[in-house]
C-alpha cells in the first residue's frame, strides 16, 4: 500500500472492521491477520520516527486489529526480506548497512511478539531458510522495481510465512510455555 503503520491505522483498520463485520454476518470469524509492514516506516526514519516509536505504533495497530477482529485473533508479523532485493545486490556497503538498519524495525516486531504470545507471531526472515533465500535472489521472483516481490515471489514468501504460522499453531496447540514466537 505504500503506507507506514500510522497510515495503516487510519486507512486499513476501518476497512478491516467492515470486512470483519461481513464475515461475522455470514457466520464466520477472523482467526488470523498477516500484517506486512515496516519498509515504509524504515523509509520515513528520522530522529522522530525511530524503531522504538515504530514498536509503539505497531502495538497500537495490532491492538486495533484485535479490537476489530476479536481478542483471540493472532496477528502475524513477518520479517521483510529486504536484504534479498536485487535492487541492492552487489552494492557494498549499502546492502549490509541497509539490511542492518531495516533489521532494527524487524527486531521491534519480534519484541512485540515476545510481549503477547500466542496472540502475536513473529516469523523470522528468510535467511534462516537457505533454500528459500537462494531462490528468492533470482530476478524471476522480483517485480521490475527490484524491491517488491512479484506474484511468484509473494507465493514463495507466503509459503515461508505459512510454515512459520504452522509451527506457531502447533506449539500453541501443544500448550508450550509462552515464549517468543520467532518461527521460521
Amino acid at each position: 500500500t505504500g503506507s507506514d503503520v500510522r497510515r495503516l491505522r487510519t486507512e486499513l483498520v476501518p476497512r478491516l472492521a467492515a470486512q470483519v463485520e461481513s464475515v461475522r454476518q455470514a457466520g464466520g470469524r477472523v482467526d488470523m491477520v498477516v500484517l506486512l509492514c515496516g519498509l515504509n516506516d524504515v523509509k520515513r526514519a528520522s530522529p522522530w520516527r525511530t524503531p522504538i516509536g515504530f514498536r509503539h505504533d505497531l502495538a497500537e495497530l495490532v491492538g486495533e486489529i484485535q479490537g476489530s477482529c476479536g481478542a483471540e485473533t493472532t496477528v502475524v508479523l513477518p520479517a521483510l526480506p529486504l536484504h534479498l532485493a536485487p535492487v541492492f545486490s552487489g552494492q557494498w556497503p549499502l546492502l549490509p548497512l541497509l539490511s542492518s538498519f531495516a533489521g532494527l524495525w524487524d527486531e521491534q516486531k519480534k519484541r512485540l511478539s515476545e510481549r503477547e504470545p500466542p496472540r502475536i507471531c513473529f516469523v523470522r526472515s528468510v535467511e534462516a531458510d537457505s533454500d528459500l533465500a537462494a531462490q528468492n535472489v533470482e530476478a524471476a521472483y522480483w517485480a521490475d522495481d527490484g524491491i517488491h516481490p512479484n506474484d511468484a515471489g509473494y507465493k514463495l514468501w507466503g509459503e515461508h510465512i505459512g510454515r512459520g504460522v504452522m509451527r506457531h499453531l502447533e506449539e500453541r496447540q501443544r500448550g508450550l510455555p509462552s515464549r517468543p514466537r520467532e518461527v521460521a
Side-chain angles (χ1 to χ4, degrees):
T1 65
S3 300
D4 60 13
V5 292
R6 290 178 180 178
R7 189 168 168 196
L8 289 173
R9 286 180 62 209
T10 60
E11 294 181 7
L12 176 73
V13 172
R15 289 189 306 196
L16 177 65
Q19 290 178 347
V20 168
E21 185 56 32
S22 294
V23 169
R24 285 185 179 138
Q25 287 179 0
R29 68 177 194 208
V30 176
D31 295 316
M32 187 169 293
V33 173
V34 178
L35 183 59
L36 304 178
C37 65
L39 178 60
N40 292 303
D41 297 273
V42 171
K43 291 182 343 188
R44 292 173 177 87
S46 74
W48 302 274
R49 304 282 303 266
T50 65
I52 293 170
F54 168 74
R55 183 173 67 214
H56 174 75
D57 291 343
L58 182 59
E60 289 181 1
L61 175 58
V62 167
E64 289 180 21
I65 289 170
Q66 291 173 328
S68 292
C69 298
E72 296 304 312
T73 299
T74 298
V75 177
V76 180
L77 302 172
L80 302 177
L82 184 63
H83 61 289
L84 298 176
V87 72
F88 303 119
S89 70
Q91 295 193 29
W92 189 91
L94 179 62
L95 179 58
L97 290 173
L98 185 59
S99 294
S100 294
F101 188 65
L104 296 172
W105 273 255
D106 282 337
E107 178 65 22
Q108 301 312 308
K109 296 174 190 178
K110 178 182 174 189
R111 288 185 180 187
L112 187 59
S113 76
E114 291 169 349
R115 280 189 6 204
E116 294 192 50
R119 294 174 11 139
I120 302 173
C121 171
F122 174 72
V123 179
R124 69 181 182 219
S125 192
V126 297
E127 72 267 4
D129 183 339
S130 60
D131 291 338
L132 180 59
Q135 292 175 25
N136 239 356
V137 293
E138 294 178 15
Y141 293 100
W142 295 90
D144 290 339
D145 67 3
I147 197 159
H148 293 94
N150 61 19
D151 289 346
Y154 275 116
K155 180 181 182 292
L156 204 60
W157 190 22
E159 290 168 354
H160 169 77
I161 294 167
R163 285 190 299 275
V165 167
M166 288 304 298
R167 279 192 202 95
H168 171 80
L169 294 173
E170 288 166 0
E171 289 176 6
R172 190 165 76 180
Q173 187 174 20
R174 287 192 312 240
L176 295 178
S178 293
R179 62 182 183 81
R181 296 297 180 192
E182 181 180 352
V183 291

